[in-house]
Amino acid sequence: MSDLPSIAIVDANNFYVSCERIFDPRLEGKPVVVLSNNDGCVVARSQEAKALGIDMASPWHSIAAEATAQGVIARSSNYELYGDLSARTVELLGRYTSSQEVYSIDESFIRLTGTPPQVSAIAREIRIATRKLIGLPVSIGIAPSKTLAKLANRGSKTAPALLGVCNLAAYSPAQLTSILQSVEVGQVWGIGGRTAKKLIGLGVYTAAALRDADAAGIRRRFGVVQERVVQELRGIDCLPLEEVHADREQIQFSRSFAIPISTVPELQEVLSVYTQRASARLRRQNSLARLMRCYASTSPFQDEHVTHAVSLAFPDPTDDPVVIYRAALTALGPQLQAHRQYVRVGVSLHEFSSRDTHAALDIFDTNPAPFAAGDVLDSITAKYGQETLGLGLAGFKSNRAWTMRRNMVSPRATTHWDELATVFAH
DNA sequence: TCTGGGGTCCTAGGACCC
DNA sequence: TCTGGGGTCCTAGGACCC
């Protein structure tokens, strides 16, 4: 038995639903779904909801009647709650490893060392701890590469006998091949719908067949990303753990509206709010942006779907909400047409530099220090909340008909004093 | 009436330069 | 009339992920 380091992926089961259940135990054992922003699509389902045949990404409006008749309970997404429970889970996992990559809101890769039985024992301990200390059920897949760990993670969920932990090191080469033969090629991490279709056309139907395919040929036909998948399936670790969470390389803020917008002043208001939110994220990671893209689009589900998009460079990299808003308005404003029914606006920032580096280069700048509107906004909203203060049109809260629809949202039970859970004694 | 949002990486192709 | 070739930078878009 080898004593090599293994990669484990720890993944919370039906994460958003599990978060909702922690603070509302009445949801336990019932079919529950969580909806995307705007109460648009299903983005998380409990086991019971999956069993009823509710698909991921189903538009809620088209299934709501039937689902509620079947007893399905829907919740609007409550990202503040999920984010907080996610952070607690990350901290807990950190106690079991020296090397951790936070891959998404509900998944971490961690490195575990020991013999296969030792590693599996640690994984079982983690499972018990997350359930007991945070309230979340998790599944754990363990293997020599990330891609195989993801595959093991699927196995840990589909085979109840494994009790939520699947360590591929526990299987013989023949058993491993038979496991890979049972996985469709499109289920492999990194192989999406398009590539899967092409692979099937070439006769590559399963994970085992992809593992045994000619790596150079795969590279020629599909590129380096897919070639790495082949190597990873062979147990060769090609995708290192990204331990330090690097700053973002782009920041987007985009939302669909509860109702379409067709007046220019309202679009200006939206741009004002979105540019302020995007620039706040930029300042949080201490970056300046050189490039911005903005777009406004009508519904892709209607005739005459249009998108107006602009891309613009700032003369000097900036994080100033006033500069960014004015630039967005100047560039996108002339394209907006009052008779259109816009359903979505997006702002994205790119090409970052560090705020500190830029300041150091700026010593010969003769302009007096400008009013740092961004810093003032940040310190006030940090203390009193996101909605307390805004610049210009974003400062008014009245009559914002376009904001998100969130009709079934749960309390932010861990981050707001006035929304704490209430316990009743009987 | 009602269809999410935020990322990453890679590649192709045009513009430009020498 | 004749009319190269290679390198780099930039951007848009594809594909994938959760």
Side-chain angles (χ1 to χ4, degrees):
Chain A
M1 281 199 199
S2 62
D3 205 308
L4 292 169
S6 313
I7 296 174
I9 178 137
V10 184
D11 155 280
N13 302 344
N14 314 324
F15 179 59
Y16 298 163
V17 169
S18 298
C19 291
E20 294 290 339
R21 282 178 169 167
I22 293 175
F23 293 96
D24 191 351
R26 290 170 301 178
L27 301 178
E28 213 66 58
K30 301 211 175 108
V32 179
V33 298
V34 174
L35 306 177
S36 62
N37 275 336
N38 238 359
D39 294 345
C41 296
V42 172
V43 289
R45 304 159 295 160
S46 69
Q47 284 311 318
E48 299 81 2
K50 289 176 192 172
L52 286 174
I54 293 176
D55 290 329
M56 192 68 166
S58 311
W60 179 241
H61 72 87
S62 68
I63 63 163
E66 200 191 334
T68 20
Q70 290 174 305
V72 174
I73 301 166
R75 286 276 191 267
S76 304
S77 40
N78 184 348
Y79 288 107
E80 199 161 323
L81 178 68
Y82 312 151
D84 185 60
L85 292 170
S86 173
R88 294 177 190 210
T89 308
V90 167
E91 189 278 328
L92 179 62
L93 293 180
R95 303 182 199 172
Y96 293 88
T97 181
S98 56
S99 185
Q100 175 176 18
E101 173 184 342
V102 180
Y103 179 65
S104 75
I105 192 164
D106 69 331
E107 287 168 89
S108 276
F109 288 103
I110 57 177
R111 204 178 294 285
L112 298 177
T113 313
T115 62
Q118 287 169 339
V119 166
S120 298
I122 298 170
R124 284 191 289 271
E125 211 179 299
I126 289 174
R127 243 184 125 242
I128 293 166
T130 49
R131 182 75 204 190
K132 188 173 166 190
L133 301 178
I134 297 172
L136 286 175
V138 299
S139 298
I140 303 176
I142 305 162
S145 70
K146 283 182 172 179
T147 305
L148 284 175
K150 289 286 284 188
L151 200 142
N153 186 260
R154 287 181 66 84
S156 72
K157 289 179 179 172
T158 48
L162 293 173
L163 298 171
V165 174
C166 176
N167 187 350
L168 290 187
Y171 298 93
S172 71
Q175 287 172 316
L176 188 56
T177 295
S178 123
I179 290 169
L180 294 186
Q181 279 168 345
S182 72
V183 176
E184 289 171 32
V185 74
Q187 313 286 358
V188 174
W189 189 52
I191 303 297
R194 307 283 176 116
T195 309
K197 212 170 161 185
K198 290 184 206 160
L199 284 169
I200 288 168
L202 294 168
V204 178
Y205 296 99
T206 67
L210 184 59
R211 176 194 67 181
D212 299 334
D214 170 40
I218 294 289
R219 183 190 188 123
R220 217 177 317 115
R221 244 184 255 263
F222 299 99
V224 293
V225 177
Q226 280 71 19
E227 188 201 11
R228 270 184 224 131
V229 174
V230 173
Q231 302 296 354
E232 285 253 319
L233 286 174
R234 295 175 182 173
I236 300 164
D237 179 14
C238 308
L239 304 169
L241 288 195
E242 312 270 351
E243 290 182 55
V244 280
H245 205 59
D247 285 339
R248 303 277 172 220
E249 290 174 11
Q250 59 173 263
I251 288 169
Q252 301 185 32
F253 196 90
S254 63
R255 292 280 184 282
S256 301
F257 313 134
I259 50 166
I261 289 183
S262 54
T263 71
V264 172
E266 278 178 305
L267 287 165
Q268 290 177 354
E269 185 183 5
V270 171
L271 270 182
S272 173
V273 173
Y274 289 15
T275 49
Q276 283 181 49
R277 298 293 295 273
S279 73
R281 288 185 190 169
L282 190 62
R283 294 190 296 277
R284 199 177 315 145
Q285 68 168 44
N286 211 25
S287 296
L288 303 174
R290 197 180 73 80
L291 197 80
M292 169 166 62
R293 295 200 172 91
C294 305
Y295 68 87
S297 54
T298 62
S299 172
F301 303 102
Q302 303 282 320
D303 293 341
E304 270 204 78
H305 169 49
V306 292
T307 297
H308 310 303
V310 292
S311 179
L312 62 138
F314 297 108
D316 294 308
T318 184
D319 64 1
D320 186 320
V322 179
V323 171
I324 293 173
Y325 168 60
R326 285 193 185 136
L329 191 59
T330 309
L332 194 59
Q335 296 199 27
L336 300 175
Q337 298 163 330
H339 66 279
R340 299 265 187 209
Q341 300 274 306
Y342 294 98
V343 299
R344 186 184 180 83
V345 162
V347 171
S348 63
L349 300 167
H350 310 257
E351 300 201 6
F352 299 156
S353 51
S354 161
R355 200 182 185 186
D356 308 326
T357 315
H358 194 263
L361 292 171
D362 242 11
I363 50 174
F364 299 114
D365 190 353
T366 49
N367 291 332
F371 169 58
D375 295 337
V376 175
L377 276 176
D378 293 342
S379 58
I380 293 174
T381 53
K383 201 163 176 183
Y384 299 106
Q386 187 60 247
E387 291 114 37
T388 47
L389 185 67
L391 281 169
L393 291 162
F396 299 102
K397 271 198 283 189
S398 56
N399 297 324
R400 262 195 212 162
W402 49 267
T403 49
M404 272 197 301
R405 192 181 300 118
R406 279 170 104 199
N407 292 334
M408 298 159 280
V409 69
S410 52
R412 296 166 289 188
T414 59
T415 51
H416 286 248
W417 288 113
D418 50 348
E419 297 183 20
L420 290 182
T422 310
V423 178
F424 299 96
H426 288 283

